[in-house]
């Protein structure tokens, strides 16, 4: 069952986020504090929207992001999507993504985009869900030296 994210879910969302992204294939180094800050910041963004997948009252998946107005309508960036490690491979991520995009479509969102690692399993997952790699765009970053 998919349910809208509310602030009271932050502790459970944080635990899921840390569990998921500190495990393979990401092997990140999130702490409870840094993950909580990330998710809280996303939830406070203008035009925030997010949903969770529940199984027996347990959050087993999350998807969240925010909308941005543009000349042709609202564009939505998915910032986070994850499924509990013990629930992967059961179609939860794909179903959650499709339901979420259907919801955004009904709200009049004109495009949905996201960033993911090139060549990783996540790129294949999103491609299987109908996302295309944008060939004429690039991501650039600048990191503080030292």
């Amino acid at each position: 069952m998919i349910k809208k994210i509310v602030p009271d879910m932050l502790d459970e969302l944080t635990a899921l986020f840390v569990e998921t992204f500190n495990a393979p294939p990401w092997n990140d180094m999130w702490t409870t504090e840094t993950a909580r800050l990330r998710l809280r910041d996303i939830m406070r963004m203008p035009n925030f929207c997010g949903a969770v997948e529940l199984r027996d009252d347990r959050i087993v998946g999350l998807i969240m992001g925010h909308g941005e107005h543009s000349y042709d309508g609202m564009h939505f960036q998915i910032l986070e999507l994850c499924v509990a490690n013990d629930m992967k491979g059961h179609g939860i991520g794909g179903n959650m993504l499709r339901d979420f995009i259907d919801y955004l479509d009904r709200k009049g969102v004109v495009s949905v985009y996201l960033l993911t690692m090139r060549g990783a399993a996540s790129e294949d997952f999103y491609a299987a869900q109908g996302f295309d790699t944008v060939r004429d765009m690039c991501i650039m970053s600048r990191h503080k030296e030292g």
Side-chain angles (χ1 to χ4, degrees), residues 24-74:
W26 298 278
N27 300 309
D28 290 340
M29 294 182 286
W30 291 98
T31 65
T32 299
E33 180 182 347
T34 58
R36 183 179 183 80
L37 289 170
R38 166 110 178 122
L39 298 177
R40 188 195 67 202
D41 286 351
I42 293 171
M43 292 168 69
R44 290 180 175 173
M45 288 179 156
N47 302 306
F48 164 78
C49 186
V52 295
E53 178 70 27
L54 296 173
R55 298 286 165 95
D56 299 322
D57 293 326
R58 174 184 164 218
I59 296 175
V60 297
L62 74 84
I63 184 169
M64 61 171 57
H66 72 104
E68 299 174 306
H69 293 278
S70 188
Y71 70 93
D72 61 347
M74 181 70 76

Side-chain angles (χ1 to χ4, degrees), residues 43-112:
M43 292 168 69
R44 290 180 175 173
M45 288 179 156
N47 302 306
F48 164 78
C49 186
V52 295
E53 178 70 27
L54 296 173
R55 298 286 165 95
D56 299 322
D57 293 326
R58 174 184 164 218
I59 296 175
V60 297
L62 74 84
I63 184 169
M64 61 171 57
H66 72 104
E68 299 174 306
H69 293 278
S70 188
Y71 70 93
D72 61 347
M74 181 70 76
H75 295 246
F76 192 89
Q77 181 181 10
I78 295 173
L79 293 170
E80 299 296 349
L81 184 151
C82 66
V83 173
N85 293 332
D86 66 331
M87 299 298 289
K88 290 183 178 163
H90 297 285
I92 292 170
N95 289 335
M96 193 170 48
L97 181 59
R98 283 187 294 280
D99 289 347
F100 194 71
I101 290 172
D102 286 346
Y103 172 80
L104 294 174
D105 286 346
R106 290 192 305 275
K107 292 293 186 184
V109 170
V110 298
S111 74
V112 178

Side-chain angles (χ1 to χ4, degrees), residues 3-19:
K3 182 177 179 180
K4 184 178 178 181
I5 289 177
V6 295
D8 291 348
M9 296 175 176
L10 186 55
D11 288 341
E12 195 173 354
L13 296 173
T14 299
L16 172 63
F17 188 88
V18 169
E19 168 200 326

